[in-house]
């Protein structure tokens, strides 16, 4: 997921609708970072020895508090990064599902298993490894944290959490939930860390692994530091997911689904349908219907939650970057059918856009457009659709739609991605693994694979 890191003097809340700085938070001191590392190291000894049923019960309480506080949590991220209120509260409620899943299923997922052919003598144990560092993004301030923290708390790994610089209030709200749920001191610590402090934590032997959701640039830096210090790392980076329409008997319904998917979180989602690849027999009607929907949208006012209202992007800088990508395409011959206008002033309202005619020399062809722009391509064969889908360096997810399921499955089987979907934008759920391939990163979160990343899968062998 491409998530830009802000470079501010402090952690701060900036209203993306106006550009107004609403509150600032100081960076952690080096002494606070050292204390957090010491506390996590000390807590590991007792947390890993705590019966898993007790760990799960605390995580279950975390889940309940996310649900109980969903509305207030939604207001916080409305102000921090512009998410519409219903989406923000819905995100908090989904966090309950994630924490519940690991609380309920964790004991079974972490149970030792016999090694086939060596029953009674050899088994694989799934044990915690120690304190883990999470570096989290702004686009889903609660959900991204939940899918990292939930499995690690149940597994017995203390968590050090560095959130995005523009999400200090949501970071504090999560830390309060952990405290109120009874998470012991040192088992979860929120740090308003600097980039230099993050590097020092990765190098510190008390930190055993690191997970980052963010940009390729951030992922490269974290992976380099982790590799240099022999640390396990999970990366969830950029995406430019193909969304292939092979055929449809109902163009309007197909467009409704495609547009709603693209506009989720103002297009600031890692697995959004950033490249719509449409068969020529459907293409003209599909584009016309997309243009109509985009043209009907108006800027959101206050807490307006109507479907026709679009939110600001997370920051003026992000909106300006998207505008530059679109302008590059237009300058080189692409057609901007509607939208693509950045509002005057310091706010981050960027009108939803539809772009066609994108070709390989344009930035939009290979770069991720992390915002409300639907890029539509016309193809004339299933093989052409596959080739176009796989041409980019990303490999997060992809979706294929057709009235002929066998045809859609055959195309989806050829997608070079971590998540291939047939006749749905994405398979989703706390129990459904999430992650990509190529430059979209490596490792998995959620589901049974999510709890498996930061474990010592120890062989325990008894000769008899």
């Amino acid at each position: 997921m491409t998530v830009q890191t802000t470079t501010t003097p402090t952690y701060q809340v900036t209203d993306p609708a106006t550009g107004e700085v609403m509150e600032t938070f100081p960076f952690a001191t080096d002494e606070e970072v050292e204390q957090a590392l010491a506390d996590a190291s000390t807590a590991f000894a007792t947390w890993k020895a705590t019966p898993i049923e007790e760990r799960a019960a605390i995580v279950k309480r975390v889940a309940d508090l996310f649900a109980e506080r969903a509305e207030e949590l939604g207001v916080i991220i409305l102000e921090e990064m512009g998410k519409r209120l219903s989406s923000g509260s819905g995100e908090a409620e989904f966090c309950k599902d994630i924490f519940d899943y690991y609380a309920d299923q964790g004991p079974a997922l972490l149970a030792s298993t016999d090694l086939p052919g060596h029953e009674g003598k050899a088994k694989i144990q799934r044990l915690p490894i120690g304190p883990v560092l999470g570096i989290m993004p702004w686009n889903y301030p609660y959900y991204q944290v939940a899918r990292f923290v939930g499995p690690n708390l149940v597994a017995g790994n203390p968590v050090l959490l560095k959130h995005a610089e523009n999400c200090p209030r949501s970071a504090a709200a999560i830390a309060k939930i952990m405290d109120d749920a009874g998470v012991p001191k040192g088992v979860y610590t929120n740090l308003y860390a600097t980039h230099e402090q993050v590097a020092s934590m990765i190098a510190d032997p008390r930190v055993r692994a690191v997970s980052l959701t963010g940009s390729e640039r951030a992922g490269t830096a974290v992976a380099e530091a982790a590799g240099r210090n022999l640390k396990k790392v999970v990366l969830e980076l950029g995406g430019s997911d193909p969304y292939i329409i092979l055929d449809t008997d109902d163009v309007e319904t197909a467009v409704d689904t495609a547009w709603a998917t693209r506009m989720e979180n103002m297009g600031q989602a890692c697995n959004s349908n950033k490249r719509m690849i449409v068969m020529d027999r459907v293409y003209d009607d599909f584009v016309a219907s997309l243009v109509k929907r985009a043209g009907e949208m108006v800027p959101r006012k206050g807490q307006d939650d109507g479907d026709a209202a679009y939110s600001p992007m997370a920051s003026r800088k992000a909106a300006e970057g998207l505008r530059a990508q679109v302008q590059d395409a237009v300058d080189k011959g692409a057609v901007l059918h509607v939208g693509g206008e950045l509002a005057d002033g310091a706010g981050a309202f960027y009108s939803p856009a539809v772009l066609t005619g994108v070709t390989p020399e344009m930035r939009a062809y290979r770069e991720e457009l992390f915002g409300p722009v639907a890029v539509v391509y016309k193809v004339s064969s299933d093989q052409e659709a596959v080739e176009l889908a796989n041409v980019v360096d990303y490999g997060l997810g992809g979706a294929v739609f057709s009235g002929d399921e066998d045809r859609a499955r055959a195309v989806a089987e050829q997608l070079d991605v971590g998540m291939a979907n047939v006749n749905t934008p994405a398979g989703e759920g706390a129990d459904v693994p999430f992650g990509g391939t190529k430059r979209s990163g490596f490792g998995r979160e959620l589901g049974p694979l999510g709890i498996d990343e930061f474990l010592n899968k120890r062989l325990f062998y008894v000769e008899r």
Side-chain angles (χ1 to χ4, degrees), residues 85 222 274:
L85 192 56
V222 166
K274 301 185 179 79

PDB file of all heavy atoms in Angstrom, residues 85 222 274:
ATOM      1  N   LEU A  85     -17.620   9.712   8.244  1.00  0.00           N
ATOM      2  CA  LEU A  85     -17.910   9.248   9.587  1.00  0.00           C
ATOM      3  C   LEU A  85     -18.353   7.785   9.619  1.00  0.00           C
ATOM      4  O   LEU A  85     -17.902   7.001  10.464  1.00  0.00           O
ATOM      5  CB  LEU A  85     -18.973  10.142  10.229  1.00  0.00           C
ATOM      6  CG  LEU A  85     -19.181   9.976  11.732  1.00  0.00           C
ATOM      7  CD1 LEU A  85     -17.888  10.180  12.498  1.00  0.00           C
ATOM      8  CD2 LEU A  85     -20.242  10.963  12.228  1.00  0.00           C
ATOM      9  N   VAL A 222      13.121   0.218   5.556  1.00  0.00           N
ATOM     10  CA  VAL A 222      12.903  -0.676   6.689  1.00  0.00           C
ATOM     11  C   VAL A 222      13.473  -2.063   6.400  1.00  0.00           C
ATOM     12  O   VAL A 222      14.121  -2.679   7.263  1.00  0.00           O
ATOM     13  CB  VAL A 222      11.404  -0.755   7.025  1.00  0.00           C
ATOM     14  CG1 VAL A 222      11.109  -1.920   7.971  1.00  0.00           C
ATOM     15  CG2 VAL A 222      10.938   0.561   7.647  1.00  0.00           C
ATOM     16  N   LYS A 274      -7.409   0.194  -9.101  1.00  0.00           N
ATOM     17  CA  LYS A 274      -6.779   1.371  -9.703  1.00  0.00           C
ATOM     18  C   LYS A 274      -6.696   1.295 -11.221  1.00  0.00           C
ATOM     19  O   LYS A 274      -6.523   2.300 -11.889  1.00  0.00           O
ATOM     20  CB  LYS A 274      -5.394   1.583  -9.078  1.00  0.00           C
ATOM     21  CG  LYS A 274      -5.476   1.785  -7.557  1.00  0.00           C
ATOM     22  CD  LYS A 274      -4.141   2.114  -6.958  1.00  0.00           C
ATOM     23  CE  LYS A 274      -4.256   2.324  -5.463  1.00  0.00           C
ATOM     24  NZ  LYS A 274      -4.331   1.091  -4.688  1.00  0.00           N
TER      25      LYS A 274
END
